[in-house]
Structures are given as structure tokens and as C-alpha cells.
Amino acid sequence: MSIIVNLDVMMAKRKMSLNELSEKVDITLSNLSILKTGKAKAIRFSTLESICKALDCQPGDILEFKE
């Protein structure tokens, strides 16, 4: 079981760079990079909400569950 993070896919669809998203969400590049690569162990709902607002998407567009 694992949670797949599709942040890079949504960023590509919105043509947004990691730096640009980092500024809009007010999260460090290193933390955003950890999330993007799927190495994060958790994400705060407030951070997820900010990312969804910046990318104009739903949480399900970023997070996916696969067995």
C-alpha cells in the first residue's frame, strides 16, 4: 500500500515551476521538493489546501492511493 504524490504532474499541467509554487504556497523549496519526490511522510491539510489553491485543483489530483 502506498500513497502516490502527483504534484509534478499537476505542476506540468499548470506550467508552474517549483520556485513559483514555493512562493505562492509559502513553503521552502526543500520541503516542496521532498513532497514532490514522494519522500514526505505527512502533509498538513493547510499546506495541501494552499497547493490546491495555487494549482487550481482538488486534493485527489495530487494524492493517489495504490495497493
Side-chain angles (χ1 to χ4, degrees):
M1 295 184 292
S2 64
I3 301 292
I4 308 298
V5 180
N6 295 315
L7 184 58
D8 52 345
V9 174
M10 286 308 300
M11 288 172 55
K13 285 182 179 179
R14 302 298 189 248
K15 296 183 172 115
M16 191 176 294
S17 70
L18 202 62
N19 286 330
E20 194 177 348
L21 184 59
S22 172
E23 290 174 8
K24 287 186 176 196
V25 177
D26 195 30
I27 187 173
T28 64
L29 274 173
S30 59
N31 284 338
L32 199 53
S33 180
I34 289 168
L35 181 61
K36 181 182 170 190
T37 58
K39 295 180 182 176
K41 300 290 182 193
I43 183 170
R44 289 190 172 131
F45 282 141
S46 58
T47 303
L48 184 58
E49 180 181 358
S50 297
I51 290 171
C52 287
K53 282 182 182 177
L55 293 174
D56 189 29
C57 67
Q58 294 295 311
D61 296 328
I62 297 171
L63 302 175
E64 179 182 354
F65 174 73
K66 284 196 177 175
E67 289 193 47

